[in-house]
Amino acid sequence: MPAPTITTDALTGLARAILTNTAGAPATDLGELILHGVDPPAAAAPTQRIGLGPTGLGTSAAREFAPKPVPELFCPAALRDDPVLGDEVDERLVAWAEQIGIYPGRLDRLRRCGFGRFMMLSHPATSDPDRLLAATKCLVAEWAADDYYVDEVALGADPKVVGSRLAKLHAVVDPAQLPARYAADLNDHHRLEPISVAFRRAMEHLAQYASVTQLARFQHQMAILFLAWSQEADWHANRRTPPVWEYLVQRHLNSYLPPMILVDVLAGYELPAQEFYHPQFRRALTLAGNANVLINDLYSGPAESETDFNLPVVLMANEGCNRREAIVRTVEIHNELMHTFVTLATGLSATGSPAMRRFLADIWAWLGGSREWHATTGRYHEAAGPIRKEPMT
């Protein structure tokens, strides 16, 4: 008997179920999780599994060929959900986007994406809408650059010029110092580029709350992100699907670290540079960022263009599995990274400073907020649709 066919709608529902099923999620408080311990991945046996296998009378034969159940996502739920605060940040964001000129004709969809809600969920240490707005502006500037420069041909993305565009954009993130004769040309270029204006204004707002060191961290992480987007452009230009290991390297560079590393900025403290850049702490931080961006891979696929890359697509191309099997493998990879993060965080919390322990706890809360946003955002829900189709002028 052949295995039952699973439709695209069912797979989309499966991805949603993975994110929304938090019955067996780890504790939202990292300190509590560390105190009580957590089983290593090999020994962890989820109390509930998510499957699409047949049930009911006469299905025993079909169950013999039923697909492997999906393990629960090892990721906390959101620590805080304040819809009123999220809406306030979103309204301020949409007004700012209209002023800047990004996403013209799509501001209602931008509002339904709930990027302000994203930052509200992921930064429970602050209820200040202006601090949350500063982080949201940076996030939306990054997302707009990805949409318009890298991913969406309908919006003007062209892999042959991604590197050039991003190099010029980075001259805003880390301001280029040119001779006076040519500086005016650079300024004229950026004045006519809404994404350049968005980055400049977003970072000016962030600088109201970030120290020089914290802002430098963000600049460094953006350089890494732009490098990753240039790597992705190479795949598009050469019509090449990367091997899984190369894709995961790209996701290491193209992770959620740019918004994640702002947790101390928004909470009003600062992790010293000697701790932030310590190799073991950096390893833990990148594991968290790498794992969490795979949640985006799980859920964003149906809303992306056919040429976009995500881990399930790359797994199917390289390992000969179907879409459902690729989703299962993606969850397993995510969980392996998260378990390693918790192991490292346990050691760092025992030996690091109070600021390091707080930062790790804030990162854990960020991961839970991100999970909730991906499960509920209008960006990936059919009713809202992705922000696409309207080029900026």
Side-chain angles (χ1 to χ4, degrees), residues 77-96:
L79 186 61
R80 186 266 304 272
D81 190 352
D82 184 340
V84 174
L85 179 58
D87 288 346
E88 181 177 354
V89 178
D90 274 316
E91 289 303 316
R92 296 186 187 191
L93 173 75
V94 171
W96 174 78

Side-chain angles (χ1 to χ4, degrees), residues 104-144:
R106 291 292 184 270
L107 294 178
D108 286 342
R109 291 188 177 186
L110 176 62
R111 182 182 290 105
R112 289 197 295 271
C113 286
F115 288 113
R117 171 174 165 77
F118 191 173
M119 293 298 92
M120 174 278 296
L121 289 164
S122 296
H123 293 282
T126 183
S127 295
D128 181 348
D130 195 65
R131 283 181 181 264
L132 292 168
L133 180 61
T136 309
K137 287 177 179 179
C138 292
L139 180 72
V140 170
E142 296 160 24
W143 229 293

Side-chain angles (χ1 to χ4, degrees), residues 9 22 239 289:
D9 286 346
T22 58
R239 299 181 180 181

Side-chain angles (χ1 to χ4, degrees), residues 91-289:
E91 289 303 316
R92 296 186 187 191
L93 173 75
V94 171
W96 174 78
E98 183 175 21
Q99 178 188 20
I100 295 299
I102 55 174
Y103 294 122
R106 291 292 184 270
L107 294 178
D108 286 342
R109 291 188 177 186
L110 176 62
R111 182 182 290 105
R112 289 197 295 271
C113 286
F115 288 113
R117 171 174 165 77
F118 191 173
M119 293 298 92
M120 174 278 296
L121 289 164
S122 296
H123 293 282
T126 183
S127 295
D128 181 348
D130 195 65
R131 283 181 181 264
L132 292 168
L133 180 61
T136 309
K137 287 177 179 179
C138 292
L139 180 72
V140 170
E142 296 160 24
W143 229 293
D146 190 24
D147 282 343
Y148 283 88
Y149 287 175
V150 182
D151 280 344
E152 297 304 318
V153 174
L155 299 181
D158 182 349
K160 295 189 295 295
V161 296
V162 165
S164 176
R165 282 176 162 178
L166 293 177
K168 288 180 284 190
L169 183 58
H170 197 263
V172 174
V173 175
D174 187 6
Q177 306 302 314
L178 303 188
R181 178 179 175 182
Y182 304 106
D185 295 334
L186 177 64
N187 290 335
D188 287 343
H189 166 78
H190 286 305
R191 189 168 57 250
L192 299 174
E193 285 286 330
I195 292 175
S196 295
V197 177
F199 265 99
R200 178 178 287 130
R201 299 283 178 82
M203 292 185 66
E204 288 171 353
H205 195 170
L206 183 65
Q208 296 176 24
Y209 301 108
S211 71
V212 171
T213 303
Q214 288 170 319
L215 202 61
R217 276 192 222 152
F218 180 78
Q219 292 169 314
H220 172 238
Q221 205 61 53
M222 289 308 303
I224 294 172
L225 179 61
F226 288 176
L227 175 64
W229 286 346
S230 296
Q231 181 186 17
E232 183 179 347
D234 168 75
W235 300 337
H236 288 301
N238 292 290
R239 299 181 180 181
R240 180 174 70 91
T241 298
V244 176
W245 69 264
E246 184 181 344
Y247 177 80
L248 291 173
V249 168
Q250 198 268 353
R251 263 326 203 181
H252 166 75
L253 304 174
N254 179 18
S255 75
Y256 272 141
L257 282 190
M260 284 174 60
I261 62 173
L262 302 181
V263 292
D264 58 343
V265 176
L266 268 67
Y269 68 99
E270 181 173 353
L271 182 66
Q274 65 268 24
E275 291 189 294
F276 182 86
Y277 288 108
H278 189 281
Q280 283 296 92
F281 182 81
R282 179 71 180 177
R283 184 184 174 209
L285 193 59
T286 54
L287 281 164

